[in-house]
Amino acid sequence: MTKHLDRDMDRLHRDILSLCTIVEDMIGMAAMALRDGRLELCDQVTAEDDTVDRYEVAIEEECLKMLALHHPVAMDLRRIATVVKVNNDLERIADLAVNIADRARGVREYPEFPIPKGVEPMVAHVRSMVRGALDAFVHLDTAAAREVIQRDNIVDELNEHLIELLQQTMQAKSAFVIPALHCFSAIRHLARIGDHATNIAEDAIYLVDGEIIRHR
């Protein structure tokens, strides 16, 4: 039984890593579409979302099968439970990347609209959080997970700053109201990705320590 469980855990580990890679790439493509107006990337993000959905369903089904077949306990049970939660967060991040790509299309209908300079550092911080949270999960690194959680404060501050800039833009030039609203939504989606990265980091801590720190 232990050999079969280990084999299934290895396969589950590979599948979640593959999903991580796809989702990280989707964030990058969506951000480039917004920043540089590369609308061909929007179609790629949308296409990849179908792949993510298939992975998400397959991983969840595998987790449920492992619970039924192996009756895992302690660390093995926590690992499977954590994969279920991380799997869901990754699927939601992919959906948010699609939303950002959709907003990028709206922004590009107004080529004279300037993307606020603060978008680039916010994208960099969010991508770093996602990568750091996933690394913490894979390597069972609670210190790295706690660092990711702390970095969410930076993303929140950038989010507030960009909202203020967009409000000023809309007040100064009414022709930019619609693209600014598209950009506003994209920024909020970025902030939500940061929240999901925080969830993954919290799940990494639960996996290692058995401690639920959410809402603290």
Side-chain angles (χ1 to χ4, degrees), residues 5 15 26 34 40 80 95 97 100 136 142 151 162 169 192 194:
L5 176 59
D15 287 346
M26 288 177 68
L34 177 66
E40 75 278 5
I80 295 172
D95 287 344
I100 293 169
T142 58
R151 292 214 301 271
L162 286 168
T169 298
R192 286 295 297 135

Side-chain angles (χ1 to χ4, degrees), residues 11 16 23 27 31 42 44 57 66 79 92 107-108 123 136 138 140 148 150 185 196 201:
R11 181 170 61 247
I16 201 74
V23 170
I27 298 170
C42 298
Q44 294 184 41
V57 171
M66 291 171 65
R79 181 175 288 276
R92 287 296 301 125
V107 170
R108 284 307 103 191
V123 168
V138 169
L140 307 178
V148 169
Q150 291 299 316
S185 294
H196 285 288

